[in-house]
Amino acid sequence: MLSNTECGKWNELISPAYSPDSAHFYDKVYFLGKDLFKAWPFEYRQVDPIIPSKPSKKPSKNYVWFKSNGELADDLSLHQELLAYASDYLMLNTILRPHGLVFWDKSLRLASLDHALWLHRPFQVDQWLLYELESTVAFGSRGFCRGNVYNLQGDLVASTSQECLIRD
């Protein structure tokens, strides 16, 4: 569980209210249009997103708020399955952050080699969750990322890890 200081800091500095929603961010920055995200099953709000048109090196730590787009049945198995899907989305991007690279770079060949998820306590994926991601190593065409998922109360609800292949 996070300390009160950490929870207070997160609520003040990087709450979902202060992070741009995906549809707004991609419409304004990439000019892709908000329609791209209407059918997307999750809303992701990156705290410090990389702008692909102007990539720059960023810290190896990444914070992302996310939740499902819409209410879900009160079925723990459904929420766990959807977390498995949602938690895979930004791990590869986090590995690329310290190198100033972006997922959309056509010169890169990227693949997830594995993705692991540990569930620690019940949660609801239709409520805001904070995903704390960290790239710990990228070397020899491989990268590794681990993550922690917290509920709004600061409780650790899940942990993740992923190894990726990265070639140019």
Side-chain angles (χ1 to χ4, degrees):
M1 183 165 163
L2 298 174
S3 70
N4 287 338
T5 304
E6 290 171 314
C7 287
K9 178 181 174 186
W10 283 11
N11 288 335
E12 288 176 22
L13 300 178
I14 57 174
S15 77
Y18 297 113
S19 302
D21 66 77
S22 300
H24 174 78
F25 181 75
Y26 285 98
D27 183 41
K28 298 295 183 202
V29 176
Y30 308 124
F31 309 105
L32 296 174
K34 293 183 180 183
D35 291 341
L36 178 68
F37 289 91
K38 281 185 180 175
W40 200 255
F42 288 92
E43 180 176 347
Y44 294 94
R45 295 188 178 194
Q46 293 188 57
V47 174
D48 183 22
I50 286 183
I51 300 171
S53 61
K54 296 186 223 173
S56 60
K57 293 182 179 183
K58 297 271 189 172
S60 62
K61 219 168 211 188
N62 191 13
Y63 295 95
V64 182
W65 288 98
F66 72 96
K67 68 175 183 147
S68 65
N69 276 331
E71 289 185 37
L72 299 170
D74 192 18
D75 176 357
L76 182 58
S77 295
L78 173 65
H79 289 264
Q80 291 172 337
E81 292 162 6
L82 289 171
L83 179 62
Y85 173 82
S87 65
D88 185 59
Y89 181 60
L90 289 167
M91 296 192 92
L92 183 53
N93 290 332
T94 301
I95 293 169
L96 298 175
R97 286 172 64 88
H99 309 283
L101 300 172
V102 291
F103 184 80
W104 297 16
D105 185 333
K106 292 181 182 180
S107 69
L108 295 176
R109 298 295 174 250
L110 308 166
S112 170
L113 299 176
D114 54 43
H115 177 80
L117 172 67
W118 294 269
L119 301 167
H120 305 305
R121 60 175 45 102
F123 59 89
Q124 291 187 281
V125 82
D126 54 0
Q127 303 294 316
W128 284 112
L129 297 169
L130 180 64
Y131 200 6
E132 175 189 42
L133 299 130
E134 183 176 22
S135 173
T136 56
V137 67
F139 181 79
S141 298
R142 290 183 181 224
F144 181 77
C145 185
R146 61 182 172 208
N148 292 314
V149 181
Y150 299 92
N151 62 19
L152 285 172
Q153 293 72 41
D155 299 320
L156 179 64
V157 299
S159 300
T160 62
S161 68
Q162 185 174 55
E163 185 179 24
C164 298
L165 182 66
I166 306 164
R167 293 195 175 150
D168 57 0

